[in-house]
Amino acid sequence: MSSFRSKTAALLLTGAALSALSLPAAAQSASEVEALRAQVQSLLARIEKLEKAPSTPAGPPASKDAPLVVADAYKAPQVVQSGNGKVKLTLSGQIGRAVIVADDGFDSDAIHGDNATASSRLRLSSQAKLDDNWTAGTDIELETSSASTRNTGFGTDSGTFSVNERKVEFWVQHKEFGRLWVGQGDTATNQTSEVDLSGTSTLISHSDIGATFGGIAFRNKATRAAGVTVNNAFNNFDGLHREDRVRYDTPTFGGGFQLSTSFTEGGATDGAVRYNAKIGDTEVAAAIAYADNDSRTGFDTQTNGSISVKFANGFNVTAAAGTRDLGPRDSDFWYGKVGYIAKLTSIGNSAFVVDYFTQDDFAVAGADAKAWSVGYVQTVDAFASDFYISFRNHSYDTRTADFKDVYGVITGARVRF
């Protein structure tokens, strides 16, 4: 500080001298010089006083990229916003990983994979409002799957990584007229075989049997040769899945009913009726659907549906069924589930289920496929996560061959964000 004071004094004295020299000769008297000297001494005294005063440290400069919301110990700052101020943008997704230990009757193996029932995915959704009646939005949803449990079997050293489009669409909705969707997304009949209030269907014990142990092959009892895989032996005829389509949904009417129809790339069409309501303390959800594949490969037409009922005490029952015209033959499936949901601890709901699936003539004429499972899902609300474990058994035979059962345990978690 003394160095700063000395330099300041020198600058002030220099300024005073220059001021004195700039005065006319007649004004350069001793009294005027003394007056300037007094001014300099007064300024030096004020500087010394400021130096002795306690200093307040300056805060950090304001960030040019301040978060949209204030972060605290439990909440991260919001870092996603739309480039258009009129549109609300939401980033979400999940990680769904599983470990499977399975046996095909001759060999056993462990599989580390992405649970195809609750695959890892990333989603960007936007929504904008015109007025109280009109809204519009977009969805981009990508599946980022490493070693999908639908395709990964025994002896795989490294699971295949894939990025698949689930949804690339926009929609426009009017409160009284319904919603119109355009792009890649759910057809009108997608998930109509999977209506389920058990709290387990998006993870385990699901009517889509091939989603979890799907890559494992049935082994011929006599020759040990590998036959059809689990994924190819079972099918729940769940509509036309996701396609490039135009879809229309009516508003909900009649206490919980909704109609949907869609037209897909390639000419396939479908329609569905859905029902969601609460009757007293009992929740009821159901769907029935019809699809015409318009001679595309796979099948001609199919009819399918499902219903689920959850009682106030936590017990629930679910059923699904469908039939598909494969051309030379028809294939049918039946599915049933009994479950119980309860909040046994403060961390979140616990769900327990037992299910059974049977199907005829799907992979080949005369094929008989059956599966059953028991499962448990524990939700941890604080983690936004679901942990699960399930045992499932699969059996498959044809008119000309008998195969060993495929059975095993799957356990893992889905972490949502």
Side-chain angles (χ1 to χ4, degrees):
M1 287 295 183
S2 60
S3 174
F4 172 76
R5 186 167 178 266
S6 300
K7 291 178 180 179
T8 304
L11 289 171
L12 291 172
L13 288 171
T14 302
L18 291 172
S19 298
L21 290 172
S22 65
L23 293 173
Q28 295 181 14
S29 63
S31 60
E32 290 171 334
V33 172
E34 287 300 323
L36 289 172
R37 187 186 299 277
Q39 291 178 17
V40 171
Q41 293 297 329
S42 175
L43 290 172
L44 290 174
R46 292 180 64 184
I47 291 171
E48 184 176 4
K49 184 178 179 180
L50 289 172
E51 288 178 345
K52 293 180 179 179
S55 61
T56 302
S63 171
K64 294 182 180 179
D65 299 314
L68 299 178
V69 295
V70 178
D72 55 35
Y74 304 101
K75 186 176 181 181
Q78 182 178 335
V79 294
V80 177
Q81 66 182 88
S82 172
N84 186 330
K86 297 179 181 180
V87 177
K88 177 183 177 182
L89 182 66
T90 302
L91 171 65
S92 61
Q94 64 188 38
I95 300 296
R97 299 297 297 176
V99 177
I100 292 174
V101 178
D103 193 298
D104 65 6
F106 294 106
D107 298 304
S108 60
D109 199 1
I111 297 172
H112 302 269
D114 209 87
N115 186 342
T117 308
S119 58
S120 299
R121 61 193 68 163
L122 186 65
R123 181 185 307 109
L124 277 172
S125 301
S126 72
Q127 183 171 324
K129 185 176 181 180
L130 176 63
D131 53 34
D132 290 339
N133 290 315
W134 287 98
T135 53
T138 64
D139 290 296
I140 298 176
E141 184 175 306
L142 301 177
E143 179 184 66
T144 56
S145 179
S146 178
S148 171
T149 56
R150 188 181 296 278
N151 305 314
T152 304
F154 286 0
T156 303
D157 293 330
S158 179
T160 301
F161 177 77
S162 62
V163 177
N164 305 308
E165 61 172 359
R166 287 174 58 86
K167 296 180 180 181
V168 183
E169 62 186 358
F170 73 86
W171 54 268
V172 179
Q173 177 173 308
H174 188 278
K175 282 185 177 180
E176 296 183 3
F177 302 136
R179 177 179 291 195
L180 182 71
W181 317 66
V182 179
Q184 162 77 15
D186 293 325
T187 58
T189 54
N190 195 30
Q191 298 183 326
T192 50
S193 286
E194 300 172 356
V195 174
D196 195 317
L197 300 175
S198 70
T200 64
S201 66
T202 57
L203 295 165
I204 55 171
S205 301
H206 188 247
S207 68
D208 184 4
I209 303 299
T212 47
F213 295 80
I216 303 173
F218 288 99
R219 302 280 294 276
N220 188 295
K221 287 182 178 179
T223 67
R224 296 193 171 207
V228 67
T229 63
V230 170
N231 185 55
N232 291 327
F234 296 87
N235 195 298
N236 66 352
F237 305 156
D238 188 37
L240 296 178
H241 303 291
R242 284 177 297 275
E243 295 270 3
D244 290 298
R245 88 297 188 225
V246 175
R247 169 177 167 174
Y248 170 71
D249 293 352
T250 68
T252 301
F253 65 92
F257 287 96
Q258 185 181 54
L259 306 180
S260 303
T261 187
S262 59
F263 305 87
T264 76
E265 171 66 24
T269 59
D270 62 352
V273 181
R274 290 178 172 83
Y275 178 77
N276 288 277
K278 197 167 185 179
I279 304 173
D281 292 330
T282 301
E283 294 181 46
V284 180
I288 186 169
Y290 174 82
D292 184 341
N293 209 28
D294 193 39
S295 300
R296 298 191 305 174
T297 58
F299 66 94
D300 292 332
T301 62
Q302 69 180 25
T303 304
N304 65 286
S306 54
I307 184 171
S308 190
V309 179
K310 185 172 74 172
F311 302 98
N313 59 10
F315 283 99
N316 53 84
V317 292
T318 300
T323 182
R324 175 178 285 185
D325 180 358
L326 296 170
R329 66 184 187 280
D330 290 344
S331 177
D332 305 312
F333 86 88
W334 299 88
Y335 176 77
K337 175 191 287 188
V338 177
Y340 176 67
I341 303 176
K343 195 160 188 177
L344 303 179
T345 68
S346 61
I347 63 174
N349 286 336
S350 303
F352 306 87
V353 291
V354 177
D355 74 347
Y356 179 79
F357 184 104
T358 181
Q359 186 162 33
D360 297 325
D361 300 311
F362 177 66
V364 295
D368 179 23
K370 293 179 172 59
W372 62 268
S373 76
V374 294
Y376 164 57
V377 175
Q378 179 61 56
T379 298
V380 181
D381 294 327
F383 296 162
S385 301
D386 305 287
F387 298 86
Y388 57 86
I389 186 169
S390 175
F391 173 86
R392 184 176 283 287
N393 186 84
H394 314 78
S395 64
Y396 175 78
D397 293 302
T398 68
R399 292 172 182 169
T400 59
D402 294 330
F403 295 84
K404 291 279 191 177
D405 288 1
V406 171
Y407 57 91
V409 174
I410 180 173
T411 184
R414 171 180 58 189
V415 181
R416 292 161 287 169
F417 60 86

